[in-house]
Amino acid sequence: MPGMVAFGRRWGIASDDLVLPGAFELFLRILLWVGILILYSLHKGSFDCSGGRVLQSYLVVLLVLLGLIILSLYAIVYVSAQGTITNPGPRRSIPVLVYLRALLYLPEIVWACLGAIWASADSQGCDPATVGAVIAAVIASWILLLSTGLGVVFVFDPLGNSRPRPPALEQLGVRDLESSEGSQFLSTARSVATKVWESRLRLLCCCLPQDESHRAAFSSIAQLVSGFFSDTDLVPSDIAAGLALLHQEQDKMAHHRDPDDVLAHSPSSPIEADLEVELGQAAHCMQFAAAAYGWPMYIYSNPFTGPCKLSGDCCRSQAMEYDIVGGDHLGCHFSSVLHSTGLGYRDFIYVSFHNQIYEIPFFVALDHKREAILVAVRGTLSLKDVLTDLSADCENLPVDGVSGTCYAHKGMSQAARYIYRKLVNDGILNQAFSIAPEYKLVITGHSLGGGTASLLAILLRQSFPNLQCYAFSPPGGLLSKALADYSKDFVVSVVLGKDLVPRLSIPNMEDLKRRILKMVSNCNKPKYRILLRGCWYEVFGGEPDDSPTELEHRCLAEELSQPLLGEESLLVRHSSSYQSLASDDSPAHAATHLPLFLPGRVLYITEDGPSRRSCFSQVRYRAEWSSETSFRSILISPRMLADHMPDAVLRALRSLTTGRPFSLCPSSSSLGNNHPNVI
């Protein structure tokens, strides 16, 4: 549903978004009205004090005013609940009702001011209980008014200014933006959107240096974000409704899927013994990848014992005797790394907690247990890391001996080059191999660290042909197909469950947008029912909702060959997101962005059994080799963020390697359960 147009501009809500907030305010207003009515009934014979007539007049007028407000809110809620997301016809009177409700704010504000003045100046000699009740009513009125003001600020759309359109476009009805006037109009709108997003990023990152590199990152990210929904006119609640419907649709398809089809994507070349070996190596390396996060991850994983263990180590001077760079003045990060890895001080060759955009922390250590020189790269933990993540443009990454186009994620490519210069140009790896020349090189990392570690491994492959890389939960939009195939010999990517990040890429986001539009356009239920049902399903589960559709007997591809657009019927022709909406194929078939893939071979870990279970049930995991093409569609689930957390990945790997299922709520019985996991 397009954003609602009122007071000469477009707002960040639609005409069907007023049901739930309106019903909540209606409930509060009725409570206030009943309370004031009871107050007036109890004290109607006690208005003979000084200012009593003013009090009586105030309460009577307030009752009348609240009655009018309640009627207007009821009308808004009733009308807003009519129709569907794509059928706003029954809600055409909403702007008039909003104007009427806005007019009622003026006398309400005036009366709230009068009530405050009376309570502070004209209440002497009156019953204290009566005065206290009136003060409570005045405070309640002001709280409701301020809450409404905050709501208006929240739904304000800086891009919603209603601007005059070119006359040539006005005459076309459905306007073709391939004309010069239409192209100029669309270009101007996108330019304004980019500037608004750039301003938002600068405000959000006001604590960061405003140098040239940061300004370039802000501009690149702003263009990416502003262009994502530039060919649609959706409000946030439309996206939420679409995600709720898509989650239930995906679960419904999963329930009806043939179990034999689940492994159809897995390559058959690696043998089971190889899988077990890689699981053991991955579980060991994941300890270092998680340790690279420093004390925040250590405290998160050990909330009761972690603070006590670190409190005695953070301020010791011995940590300062080693080559620790930036961001760890008290030594808490390094102490947590020592506790997490079990290594000694002298096992670390280089430790850097320096953090800037495109420059992320890492450490180099001697892993005597596996006879490896291990480079662990930290994942996202700061606002600067987020900017590195969001710099998702493609950057050329030429590699000798690789045929085909070689490109990668810009932010992570820059971060990998930064670490490469440190390791090679500063002689860190030479120093490590001079101590242990027979050791092999292993690179690891999680999330941002996993993607950067994979690119770093590609850069170092020529100099260290025997290196290995274990990337945990790396981003899906990382490598071109040529580089992804090249990395299969030395990179293993580990993905857990429905983790969002390994499925996150610009083509996949375009595919998600198409699917959201498909679900929203198909459903003939009101938005408030979709959202309520979606919340219930996320929290309590149940059977997926079999939503009826409005396009049941119509061709969906024909209906949505154009995007959903605003009340001004602005249609963008030949939008790449809507080339073939009826097809559920990969978005790469009609993508305008270069396709990017996961690095190396993909080790996919899933929970064995139902996705929803009680707290005391035990979780068992299944591991299998998969293909990077199996992660080209985003799965909607409450686990899509939880499965990305480092402790969840480490827990799953330990469960697979030890043969013990994990209990969500620890109990004595779960500690002795040694049933083997399925591999």
Side-chain angles (χ1 to χ4, degrees), residues 112-139:
C113 293
L114 291 177
I117 294 173
W118 177 88
S120 61
D122 297 335
S123 58
Q124 297 179 356
C126 295
D127 183 14
T130 304
V131 175
V134 172
I135 292 176
V138 172
I139 292 175

Side-chain angles (χ1 to χ4, degrees), residues 583-603:
S583 173
D584 289 331
D585 294 339
S586 168
H589 292 292
T592 57
H593 301 279
L594 295 174
L596 294 170
F597 301 88
L598 284 168
R601 294 183 295 163
V602 181
L603 184 57

Side-chain angles (χ1 to χ4, degrees), residues 216-523:
F218 292 156
S219 177
S220 175
I221 296 171
Q223 291 179 5
L224 177 67
V225 175
S226 63
F228 183 63
F229 278 107
S230 62
D231 53 358
T232 64
D233 191 1
L234 297 175
V235 296
S237 60
D238 295 336
I239 301 174
L243 291 175
L245 291 171
L246 183 57
H247 180 204
Q248 296 177 62
E249 181 71 16
Q250 290 176 345
D251 284 358
K252 187 164 54 177
M253 293 175 62
H255 292 163
H256 293 90
R257 184 180 302 164
D258 188 347
D260 296 336
D261 295 339
V262 175
L263 301 178
H265 307 291
S266 303
S268 57
S269 54
I271 59 176
E272 183 174 319
D274 178 38
L275 178 60
E276 294 183 357
V277 171
E278 294 294 1
L279 279 172
Q281 293 276 16
H284 180 73
C285 289
M286 184 59 208
Q287 299 180 55
F288 294 87
Y293 283 96
W295 69 262
M297 181 54 62
Y298 186 75
I299 297 295
Y300 175 79
S301 302
N302 305 276
F304 300 108
T305 61
C308 297
K309 291 182 179 180
L310 292 182
S311 59
D313 297 336
C314 284
C315 298
R316 289 181 181 177
S317 60
Q318 58 183 352
M320 305 305 295
E321 299 174 3
Y322 298 88
D323 194 4
I324 300 177
V325 179
D328 193 29
H329 303 296
L330 297 178
C332 294
H333 281 306
F334 190 39
S335 296
S336 66
V337 171
L338 293 174
H339 284 290
S340 300
T341 60
L343 300 181
Y345 282 94
R346 299 189 182 277
D347 293 329
F348 288 86
I349 305 300
Y350 183 85
V351 181
S352 172
F353 294 105
H354 168 76
N355 191 203
Q356 290 293 335
I357 184 173
Y358 307 142
E359 299 176 3
I360 57 180
F362 69 99
F363 66 79
V364 181
L366 298 177
D367 180 13
H368 301 294
K369 183 178 180 180
R370 300 293 175 125
E371 295 186 344
I373 295 172
L374 195 140
V375 180
V377 186
R378 195 189 77 180
T380 303
L381 195 63
S382 70
L383 194 56
K384 300 165 187 175
D385 297 334
V386 173
L387 294 178
T388 302
D389 287 321
L390 293 178
S391 298
D393 293 337
C394 292
E395 180 177 84
N396 289 329
L397 188 69
V399 176
D400 294 338
V402 179
S403 59
T405 307
C406 298
Y407 52 87
H409 184 287
K410 176 184 176 181
M412 297 180 195
S413 177
Q414 293 284 339
R417 294 177 193 272
Y418 159 75
I419 299 178
Y420 176 86
R421 291 191 296 268
K422 290 288 185 180
L423 295 178
V424 176
N425 298 350
D426 294 356
I428 297 174
L429 287 182
N430 289 336
Q431 178 186 355
F433 279 103
S434 66
I435 299 174
E438 72 281 5
Y439 282 14
K440 61 184 178 181
L441 179 61
V442 177
I443 307 173
T444 188
H446 172 267
S447 189
L448 167 63
T452 303
S454 302
L455 295 173
L456 178 62
I458 291 174
L459 295 175
L460 292 171
R461 171 72 168 172
Q462 299 292 332
S463 303
F464 303 92
N466 294 324
L467 69 78
Q468 290 180 297
C469 176
Y470 290 90
F472 302 95
S473 307
L478 185 66
L479 298 173
S480 64
K481 182 62 175 174
L483 286 179
D485 292 338
Y486 170 72
S487 64
K488 290 183 184 296
D489 293 333
F490 54 93
V491 177
V492 173
S493 293
V494 179
V495 179
L496 174 62
K498 296 184 178 181
D499 187 354
L500 168 67
V501 174
R503 298 174 171 87
L504 202 58
S505 66
I506 297 179
N508 285 6
M509 290 297 293
E510 291 288 344
D511 175 65
L512 177 64
K513 180 171 65 173
R514 292 170 56 252
R515 294 177 186 275
I516 288 176
L517 291 171
K518 176 180 178 180
M519 299 305 301
V520 166
S521 300
N522 268 351
C523 186

Side-chain angles (χ1 to χ4, degrees), residues 114-192:
L114 291 177
I117 294 173
W118 177 88
S120 61
D122 297 335
S123 58
Q124 297 179 356
C126 295
D127 183 14
T130 304
V131 175
V134 172
I135 292 176
V138 172
I139 292 175
S141 297
W142 278 110
I143 290 176
L144 289 173
L145 286 170
L146 293 176
S147 300
T148 303
L150 289 176
V152 171
V153 172
F154 183 74
V155 301
F156 178 80
D157 185 1
L159 303 177
N161 187 25
S162 182
R163 304 176 62 183
R165 299 185 300 272
L169 299 181
E170 283 283 358
Q171 301 172 1
L172 289 178
V174 175
R175 293 172 292 280
D176 187 355
L177 292 185
E178 292 180 351
S179 65
S180 59
E181 296 87 351
S183 299
Q184 183 179 2
F185 177 69
L186 184 58
S187 176
T188 302
R190 288 178 176 172
S191 177
V192 172

